[in-house]
Amino acid sequence: MTETGGRLLGGRYRLTGVLGRGGMGTVWRAEDEMLGRTVAVKELRMHDGVDEQDRHRLVVRTLREAKATARIRHTAAVTVFDVVEEDDRPWIVMELVGGRSLAEVIKEDGPLPPVRAAEIALEVLGVLCEAHELGILHRDVKPSNVLIGDDGRVVLTDFGIASVEGDTSVTSTGMLVGAPSYISPERARGQKPGPPADLWSLGGTLYAMVEGRPPYDRGSALATLTAVMTEPLAPPVCAGRLLTPLIEGLLEKDPALRVDAAAARAVLRRVVAEGTVRAESTTEVAAIPKPAPSRRTLLAVAAVLVVAVLVAGALMWQPWKKKGGGGSADAAKTPAVASAPAAPGSAAASPAASTAPSTAPSAAQSPTPAPTPSQLTGYREVHSSQGFTVKVPDWLKDEGIKGAQHIFRANGSTLIVEWTGAPGQSALADWEGSDREGKKNFPGYQSLGTRALTYRSWANAADWEWTYDKNGTRVHSLNRGFVTGKYGYAIYWTSPEASWSGADLVQARQVSFDSFQPAP
């Protein structure tokens, strides 16, 4: 034991060993003798040369860390149990997260696959968004401050230099704190940072995860900060087609042009979702041998994939542009669709939309344009008693109107057109709420993303896409919410996952979107 080891704090926390040391603190393993659990205790340590002013600043910083962390409610935030004041200094009692730091994982195991990197980044982004809503900036997001638990849990630690809105008690020194490689350009220039500064640091952390090194590292703090402010980013080579533009967007030097949290969440979710689909399809292929495709088939598939990737990439970039277009900032300015989450297993959902960009119903799923009305065969135009019209395939049975929904069903597929005369403020925001409640309302819910879009002439529109389990079958849903003026609508498709990408269903969805005419 050291001179502090074995010490009892606050009459209940017995220090049993050192977990780690930093420049200003030591983290101890301790036993809570009152509740019989193992905890972590962060001790503030100061050398003898620290004057009273610096001592006060460090105490305030430590207390602020405890206060800031305790306010955040997220699985990726460490739970603060207690603060004990002894020896005229605070000791923070926290939950003990067993595992390694992300920096250790990268150093010991090498760069992470893009899907795992996206999973970790999603958790870090989630806790950052919770903090930002409380007016808290972390200001030191980096791999060494991200813990990967033995159970796979991701935890963002060390809010010790967090900036709390309205609290200037620790900003008077003018010190630039944080790791140079992960400090945003605006902070490096001495400008007042906002949430985009934390997103820059997240982008740097994401870069380090897939490349195995930070985006900027020139050997010294000054050289590194100069590079952050002035030098172009070395493009990532291992991030893949989705993470590469996201990382570049997060590491945009101008915070006004930097990718925002909603767009980042969208792409990260898509990377995770596509990784899950690939894993499942690989398992299926391994279990069920299939005939080898012919050379002509391989060429055709390759051509389709190239076009689909190019189109999908262009679509996903649009929501990130903050000047013009159908981004979320524009969508929030006009009345949007009122919404409520659908009940588990039901075919109904309300006209609204969510946070992550989903695949556009036609472009990303079919590289060929939808047929014009004159080319259509096998479709009929439905004139609803509610005043709208829509073309539906002949094989869909019209089940009529139930409540505020016109329902069509057949062969396991459902098309619902829903309406409201009292749309809310934002289609995107409504879908975001529905997406957050997805796991509560749909068994086996897996979000495939949401995005704001300009749907024909209606700028206040958004898509929400997901899969779930229904009566033992995996089904796929896409819900497009939009406002046409005084009415809000949702065009909502659900089909078995196995047939979702079939040519007939891809065309049917696109025809419904292209042909829809709202009530006057």
Side-chain angles (χ1 to χ4, degrees):
M1 288 291 179
T2 67
E3 61 182 34
T4 311
R7 178 177 180 174
L8 187 66
L9 297 175
R12 62 184 287 189
Y13 305 110
R14 181 77 62 184
L15 305 184
T16 60
V18 174
L19 293 171
R21 298 184 187 274
M24 288 295 176
T26 299
V27 180
W28 293 84
R29 178 189 298 273
E31 293 298 321
D32 182 347
E33 296 184 348
M34 179 179 292
L35 297 180
R37 63 182 174 185
T38 304
V39 297
V41 177
K42 187 170 185 178
E43 172 194 9
L44 175 63
R45 299 181 66 90
M46 292 172 279
H47 57 79
D48 295 336
V50 175
D51 60 27
E52 189 60 32
Q53 182 178 0
D54 284 342
R55 179 185 181 88
H56 174 74
R57 177 176 60 81
L58 292 170
V59 168
V60 171
R61 167 178 162 173
T62 301
L63 289 173
R64 186 171 62 178
E65 174 185 3
K67 182 179 179 180
T69 306
R71 291 169 60 192
I72 300 170
R73 296 290 183 266
H74 193 277
T75 57
V78 174
T79 301
V80 174
F81 296 137
D82 197 0
V83 176
V84 177
E85 291 194 30
E86 291 198 9
D87 299 336
D88 296 323
R89 52 187 170 143
W91 304 65
I92 305 176
V93 183
M94 306 172 288
E95 67 170 316
L96 178 63
V97 180
R100 297 180 292 170
S101 73
L102 179 57
E104 291 172 325
V105 171
I106 295 170
K107 181 179 180 179
E108 295 169 7
D109 301 345
L112 278 63
V115 173
R116 180 55 180 153
E119 291 173 341
I120 294 172
L122 264 177
E123 291 298 305
V124 176
L125 178 61
V127 72
L128 286 176
C129 288
E130 291 290 328
H132 294 166
E133 289 183 5
L134 294 170
I136 299 170
L137 300 180
H138 188 280
R139 301 202 304 166
D140 199 19
V141 178
K142 57 186 178 182
S144 60
N145 280 339
V146 178
L147 292 181
I148 309 299
D150 294 330
D151 59 355
R153 179 185 170 199
V154 177
V155 178
L156 178 61
T157 66
D158 201 356
F159 278 80
I161 63 171
S163 171
V164 181
E165 186 176 1
D167 181 358
T168 60
S169 58
V170 190
T171 59
S172 58
T173 64
M175 294 174 59
L176 181 62
V177 286
S181 295
Y182 301 96
I183 288 177
S184 68
E186 60 268 30
R187 285 194 60 219
R189 295 188 184 99
Q191 299 168 354
K192 183 178 180 180
D198 278 347
L199 294 181
W200 165 282
S201 301
L202 175 63
T205 300
L206 191 54
Y207 187 105
M209 280 193 273
V210 295
E211 299 298 307
R213 58 184 174 82
Y216 295 94
D217 187 0
R218 301 297 184 266
S220 70
L222 181 59
T224 298
L225 290 173
T226 301
V228 165
M229 291 185 287
T230 63
E231 295 182 13
L233 175 71
V237 297
C238 302
R241 66 179 181 87
L242 295 179
L243 282 188
T244 295
L246 173 59
I247 291 172
E248 292 172 342
L250 287 168
L251 293 177
E252 164 63 49
K253 295 187 187 297
D254 185 348
L257 300 178
R258 196 168 299 153
V259 171
D260 63 18
R265 183 186 298 110
V267 177
L268 292 171
R269 284 177 173 171
R270 184 162 189 83
V271 173
V272 173
E274 289 192 1
T276 301
V277 170
R278 281 196 300 270
E280 291 175 349
S281 64
T282 301
T283 302
E284 291 173 1
V285 169
I288 307 174
K290 297 180 180 179
S294 66
R295 186 170 177 274
R296 178 176 299 178
T297 301
L298 288 172
L299 291 173
V301 170
V304 169
L305 285 176
V306 169
V307 176
V309 166
L310 291 174
V311 174
L315 285 170
M316 282 187 291
W317 183 254
Q318 295 308 310
W320 301 352
K321 300 299 184 183
K322 297 192 176 183
K323 298 179 181 179
S328 58
D330 294 332
K333 296 178 182 177
T334 51
V337 187
S339 82
S346 100
S350 47
S354 166
T355 58
S358 74
T359 307
S362 62
Q365 295 174 5
S366 173
T368 57
T372 62
S374 61
Q375 296 173 316
L376 285 175
T377 58
Y379 287 81
R380 66 186 187 279
E381 187 169 73
V382 175
H383 295 262
S384 174
S385 61
Q386 295 300 312
F388 63 82
T389 63
V390 63
K391 284 187 171 66
V392 301
D394 290 339
W395 51 265
L396 270 183
K397 179 183 177 182
D398 190 339
E399 295 189 355
I401 293 175
K402 297 179 182 178
Q405 302 173 339
H406 198 141
I407 302 173
F408 305 85
R409 258 194 206 100
N411 303 330
S413 293
T414 302
L415 165 63
I416 295 175
V417 179
E418 189 170 5
W419 62 89
T420 177
Q425 294 299 310
S426 169
L428 181 61
D430 287 340
W431 273 168
E432 289 175 346
S434 296
D435 187 43
R436 286 192 294 270
E437 297 295 318
K439 290 185 178 180
K440 298 179 182 178
N441 297 320
F442 296 95
Y445 180 81
Q446 174 67 57
S447 175
L448 296 182
T450 59
R451 71 180 181 96
L453 72 157
T454 298
Y455 170 38
R456 308 224 300 263
S457 62
W458 306 306
N460 188 8
D463 280 351
W464 170 30
E465 191 170 2
W466 71 101
T467 62
Y468 68 103
D469 297 319
K470 181 179 180 182
N471 300 327
T473 300
R474 193 69 180 171
V475 296
H476 195 135
S477 295
L478 173 66
N479 203 343
R480 174 164 294 184
F482 54 100
V483 175
T484 63
K486 61 182 179 179
Y487 296 111
Y489 291 95
I491 300 177
Y492 175 24
W493 277 93
T494 296
S495 298
E497 176 71 6
S499 57
W500 177 262
S501 299
D504 290 346
L505 279 171
V506 170
Q507 183 185 78
R509 290 194 297 273
Q510 189 60 38
V511 169
S512 68
F513 294 136
D514 290 344
S515 65
F516 181 83
Q517 294 296 327

